């Protein structure tokens, strides 16, 4: 049994919260209507209110009636339940591959994350990569290239025709690559162009720009 009632996704700033983007984008792609509740990071409001939603005191959190699901990957799994398995590839081998790269993203790439922090609406930043972060970028590119070479015949997403959890999990890193101008090979570049053309991704970037321009939210962490 799942939760009941409207779905509410608690997220952080669209400019900064890479973890929030993952389930947000997946829910958009799965066509699940949801309300967005944004708690701006590093504010007294966040400190005051987050406890209501998550014992881990972090965003994202998905609220479904009394059920609170926290952690981006756990939310993606719950979304997959709501859409009866449509959020992962249909084929078991492809699904195992997708789960492997999602686990790798969820648990790794610390050097890349800390050097190129997500700034969704910002482009043209120049920040040199230390060797560990450079190998993270190479590994992400190798992951995308392997997926595209294997599943390109089926369609433009990592696992072919359908957007899946893996595309959602790798979307934030794509925005980092856009902001800092990562140099990618042709296969990864094609995938990047497809993701950056996605209307939901564009919507998130637009939201990030509005936070900065209209609400005066900071462009980066202090
Ligand atoms: N593993 C968690 C990490 C969530 C996380 O670190 N969220 C950050 C924002 S992107 C947060 O809530 N930071 C608030 C704080 O540390 O006070 C997930 O995947 O959801």
């Amino acid at each position: 049994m799942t939760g009941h009632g409207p779905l509410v996704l608690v997220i952080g700033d669209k400019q900064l919260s890479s973890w929030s983007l993952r389930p947000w984008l997946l829910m958009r792609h799965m066509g699940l209507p949801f309300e967005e509740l944004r708690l701006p990071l590093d504010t007294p409001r966040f400190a005051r209110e987050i406890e209501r939603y998550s014992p881990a005191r972090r965003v994202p959190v998905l609220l479904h009636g009394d059920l609170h699901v926290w952690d981006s990957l756990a939310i993606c799994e719950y979304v997959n339940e709501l859409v009866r398995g449509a959020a992962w590839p249909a084929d078991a081998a492809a699904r195992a591959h997708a789960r492997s790269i999602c686990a790798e993203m969820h648990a790794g790439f610390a050097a890349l994350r800390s050097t190129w922090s997500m700034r969704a609406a910002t482009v043209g930043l120049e920040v040199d990569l230390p060797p560990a972060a450079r190998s993270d970028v190479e590994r992400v590119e190798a992951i995308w290239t392997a997926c595209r070479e294997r599943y390109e015949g089926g369609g433009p997403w990592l696992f072919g025709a359908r957007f899946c959890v893996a595309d959602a999990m790798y979307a934030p890193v794509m925005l980092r690559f856009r902001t800092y101008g990562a140099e990618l090979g042709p296969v990864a570049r094609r995938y990047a162009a497809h993701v950056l053309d996605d209307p939901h991704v564009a919507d998130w970037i637009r939201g990030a720009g509005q936070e900065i321009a209209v609400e005066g939210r900071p462009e980066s962490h202090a």
Side-chain angles (χ1 to χ4, degrees):
M1 220 172 86
T2 60
H4 291 288
L7 290 161
V8 179
L9 186 65
V10 186
I11 61 172
D13 298 68
K14 288 187 172 164
Q15 170 76 345
L16 308 171
S17 186
S18 56
W19 307 91
S20 298
L21 170 57
R22 299 162 164 192
W24 185 95
L25 193 57
L26 183 69
M27 291 172 79
R28 280 289 193 92
H29 270 272
M30 294 298 120
L32 282 180
F34 64 98
E35 188 189 317
E36 203 177 287
L37 196 165
R38 192 158 49 85
L39 288 186
L41 297 169
D42 300 323
T43 59
R45 180 176 165 214
F46 187 95
R48 219 172 34 243
E49 294 184 21
I50 186 64
E51 214 160 75
R52 281 187 214 159
Y53 308 116
S54 166
R57 303 185 61 84
R58 300 253 192 284
V59 287
V61 192
L62 181 65
L63 317 178
H64 198 189
D66 289 343
L67 179 65
H68 292 198
V69 189
W70 63 95
D71 187 280
S72 54
L73 188 52
I75 299 170
C76 289
E77 288 288 6
Y78 183 70
V79 167
N80 181 60
E81 310 261 359
L82 295 178
V83 297
R84 298 173 196 282
W88 287 110
D91 172 71
R95 204 158 56 240
H97 184 181
R99 285 199 163 112
S100 298
I101 67 168
C102 287
E104 194 175 339
M105 171 46 73
H106 206 46
F109 301 107
L112 168 58
R113 279 191 193 140
S114 60
T115 313
W116 282 357
S117 57
M118 193 175 91
R119 300 188 187 176
T122 309
V123 287
L125 293 184
E126 283 179 30
V127 176
D128 284 343
L129 290 173
R134 189 169 299 281
S135 9
D136 282 351
V137 172
E138 285 164 9
R139 176 64 194 138
V140 169
E141 176 159 16
I143 288 172
W144 289 348
T145 304
C147 285
R148 295 310 300 133
E149 283 173 350
R150 190 141 174 203
Y151 301 105
E152 194 153 27
W157 298 107
L158 283 177
F159 289 85
R162 266 189 357 214
F163 183 97
C164 78
V165 177
D167 297 289
M169 291 291 286
Y170 279 82
V173 97
M174 181 69 80
L175 294 191
R176 295 170 202 258
F177 285 2
R178 171 179 175 266
T179 296
Y180 299 92
E183 283 172 23
L184 302 171
V187 178
R189 259 208 318 272
R190 265 202 310 281
Y191 174 61
H194 183 68
V195 172
L196 294 172
D197 250 10
D198 179 61
H200 302 301
V201 170
D203 218 15
W204 179 276
I205 294 173
R206 202 162 30 248
Q210 277 165 1
E211 285 168 2
I212 299 162
V214 182
E215 300 170 28
R217 289 288 303 148
E219 201 173 331
S220 63
H221 280 292

